[in-house]
Amino acid sequence: MEGAEKSVDIKGAENAVSIHDAITKEIGEESRRATELEHNMSFRQALKLYPKAVGWSAFFSMGVIMTAFDPQLLGSLYATPAFQRDFGYMFEGNYIISAPWQTALGIGNPLGQVVGALAAGYPMEWYGRKWTFAACVVGTGAFIFNQFFAKSIQVLLVGELIGGLILGTYTTIAPTYASEVVPIALRGHLTAYINLCFVMGQLLANGVIAGTSQLDTHWAYSAPFAIQWLWPVIILIGTPFAPESPWWLIRKGRLEDAERSLNRLSSSAVDNKLTLAMMIETDRLELEMETGTTYWDCFKKVNIRRTEISVMVFVIQVLSGIYLVGYAALFFQLAGLDTQKSFYMSVGFLAVGFVGCCMSWIAISHFGRRRIYNLGLAFLTLIMFIIGILDCAPNYENRPGIIWGQCVLLIIWNGVFDLSIGPICYVLICETSATKVRTKTIAIATASQAIIAIVMTVAIPYMINPDQGNWRGKMGFFFGGLSLFSLVWCHFRIPETKGRTYEELDLMFERKIKTRAFKNYKVL
C-alpha cells in the first residue's frame, strides 16, 4: 500500500511539474508574440490603441508641474519689489534678499526632496502608485497654507522644507507610472513629457509673477502662492478613477487586477493577455537574476551599472547649469535689464524651453537616446563657455549689445536643454532601471540630483548676487567646465535603449554588453 501511495505521489508531482512547465512555456510563447507586436507597433498605431494610457500618464505627471512651480516661483520672487521689501533688507538704496536667506530658502525645497524621494519608494511598493500619489497631493495642499499666510522669512523657510518633502515624491511617482502603462512606441514620449511638465510649471510661475510683480501689496507674492491650490483640487477629483500600474499589481500577485488595469489603459482591439504574459515573463526573469526590491539591491552587482547611469543622467542636468534657470529673472536684472523687462525675458526664456520639449518628441521618434543626450550636452557646453567669454569683454557695463547677446544665448541654451538632456534624462532612468527596483532607482537618482542641487543652491546666490561674487555671465565658465567633464562620462557610459522591451534590457545588462554595442545588439 505504501509503495502504491508513493507511486501516486510521484506521478502527481510529475503531473504538477509538467503542468507548470506547460504553463511557463505558453507564457513564454505569448511573451515573444507580445514583444514582436510591440517592436512592430508605430507611434500612430500606439496612440490609437492606447489613448487612455496617454491620458492617465499625463494626469500623474501633473504633480511634476507643482514640483517645478514652487522653486521657480521662489527664484522669481527674489526680483519682485514687494517681496524684497517685506522679506529683505536695504542695500545701497534698494531692497534685496540676502544671499544667506536665498540659500536657506533655496535649500529647503531640494533638501526636502532628498528625503521625500527616498521615502516615496516604500509607500509606492506597499500601497501602489495611485494612492501614494493621492496622499502626497493632500499634503501639498496643506503646505500651501504655510506659504500663503507666512509673514516672516523664517516661517516661509519652514514651509519650503516641509513642502519639499512632498514635492520630491512626484519626480519618483510620475516617471515610474508613465513607464509602466504605455508600450515601447510611446514610452520615450510619455517619460520625456515629464520634462515638459517641469517647463510648464516654471513657465506658469514666471507668467504669474510677470502679472503680479508690479503690485505694491503682499498680493504680489500671496496671489502666486494661492494659485498653487488649483492643482490639488484637479488631481484629487480624478485620482479615484485612475487605473493602478499593472506592473505593481503583477508583483503583488494580483494577475486578474493587472489584466483589468491593462484593459482600462488600452482600447478593446488590444489582446492584453499577451501583454500580461510579457510582464509576467519579465518579472520571472528578474526574479531569476535576483535583481531584488530594496534600496540596497540597487547597488548590487546585477544593478549597479543601471543605478550609475540613472543617477548620472539626472545629476548632469544640475551640473550643466539648469539651476540657473530659477534665477533667470534676477540674472537678466543684474545683467542690466529693468525689472519688467527681466520678467518678460524670463517668460520668453521658458517659452523657448516649451518649444524645445515639444520638438524633443520628434527627435525621440527618429534618433536614439544616446545621440540626443550627448549632442545636446556638447552644444550646452559650448554655449556656456561663449557666455563666459562675452562677460570678459572690456567696458562690459556700457555695452548693452553684449548684455543682450548673453541673454539670447541663455535662451538658446534653455531651448537646447529642453530638446535634449532635459527630456531624455527621464527616458533613460526609466529604461535603464530594472522593473522590480524602478521606484527605488528613480528615488536614488532624484535624491542624488537634489543633493547636488543643494550645493548649487548654496553657491549660486554667492556667485550671482551684487553684494557677493557678482559673477554675472562668468558663471558660464563654471557650468561649462562641469558640462565638459560630464560629456566625457556620457561618451563612455550611456547606452542606446531605444526600441527595447524591459526583458531585452534586462538580458543586455545581465550579459554586460558594452555601451556602444547596445544599439545593434541582437537578443537571442
Side-chain angles (χ1 to χ4, degrees), residues 1-7:
M1 285 292 293
E2 289 182 6
E5 286 177 2
K6 286 183 180 179
S7 176

Side-chain angles (χ1 to χ4, degrees), residues 440-460:
K440 304 293 197 304
T441 306
I442 294 174
I444 290 169
T446 302
S448 301
Q449 193 247 32
I451 290 170
I452 303 302
I454 290 170
V455 176
M456 292 301 173
T457 304
V458 172
I460 289 176

Side-chain angles (χ1 to χ4, degrees), residues 51 192 208 238 348 510:
V208 169
E510 185 194 26

Side-chain angles (χ1 to χ4, degrees), residues 237-349:
I237 290 172
T239 302
F241 305 101
E244 183 54 85
S245 163
W247 283 98
W248 180 78
L249 292 168
I250 285 170
R251 284 196 290 277
K252 293 298 178 182
R254 295 164 56 181
L255 302 186
E256 291 182 1
D257 289 338
E259 187 172 356
R260 277 194 289 270
S261 181
L262 286 168
N263 290 334
R264 290 189 60 197
L265 289 163
S266 62
S267 70
S268 57
V270 178
D271 184 356
N272 281 313
K273 289 191 181 296
L274 298 180
T275 307
L276 185 67
M278 181 174 64
M279 291 179 170
I280 293 171
E281 180 68 10
T282 302
D283 190 64
R284 182 193 65 78
L285 176 65
E286 292 192 359
L287 193 63
E288 288 181 358
M289 290 167 56
E290 299 181 349
T291 56
T293 58
T294 68
Y295 277 112
W296 178 248
D297 290 322
C298 294
F299 298 99
K300 287 168 61 176
K301 187 177 180 180
V302 69
N303 290 320
I304 186 64
R305 181 185 178 191
R306 307 172 84 161
T307 303
E308 176 205 341
I309 294 167
S310 298
V311 168
M312 283 300 296
V313 295
F314 214 167
V315 165
I316 287 170
Q317 285 192 337
V318 181
L319 299 181
S320 68
I322 190 57
Y323 263 70
L324 197 58
V325 172
Y327 290 84
L330 185 60
F331 179 85
F332 293 139
Q333 195 176 48
L334 295 174
L337 303 180
D338 62 41
T339 301
Q340 195 65 31
K341 286 182 179 178
S342 294
F343 279 120
Y344 289 150
M345 181 67 85
S346 61
V347 171
F349 179 82

Side-chain angles (χ1 to χ4, degrees), residues 3-152:
E5 286 177 2
K6 286 183 180 179
S7 176
V8 170
D9 289 342
I10 292 169
K11 286 181 179 179
E14 287 176 347
N15 287 335
V17 171
S18 63
I19 291 170
H20 179 268
D21 290 343
I23 292 172
T24 303
K25 185 178 179 181
E26 183 180 352
I27 289 174
E29 289 174 355
E30 289 180 341
S31 174
R32 282 188 287 275
R33 285 171 59 195
T35 300
E36 187 178 345
L37 286 171
E38 288 221 10
H39 280 309
N40 294 329
M41 190 182 298
S42 68
F43 176 73
R44 288 187 178 181
Q45 287 173 326
L47 277 179
K48 186 177 179 181
L49 293 172
Y50 292 90
K52 289 178 283 188
V54 171
W56 284 118
S57 176
F59 176 81
F60 274 75
S61 296
M62 286 176 67
V64 177
I65 296 177
M66 293 189 290
T67 303
F69 189 98
D70 180 71
Q72 183 68 23
L73 176 63
L74 199 60
S76 297
L77 286 175
Y78 296 150
T80 302
F83 186 85
Q84 291 172 328
R85 182 193 64 226
D86 293 350
F87 293 94
Y89 77 103
M90 184 71 72
F91 175 75
E92 295 183 356
N94 294 303
Y95 282 102
I96 66 168
I97 306 298
S98 68
W101 273 113
Q102 282 191 40
T103 298
L105 287 169
I107 281 178
N109 190 283
L111 186 61
Q113 284 190 41
V114 173
V115 180
L118 294 172
Y122 294 107
M124 285 177 70
E125 289 303 320
W126 295 337
Y127 308 113
R129 287 67 166 121
K130 173 180 173 178
W131 296 115
T132 301
F133 184 48
C136 291
V137 170
V138 171
T140 296
F143 102 84
I144 295 170
F145 279 96
N146 180 289
Q147 291 181 315
F148 183 76
F149 291 106
K151 298 301 178 185
S152 70

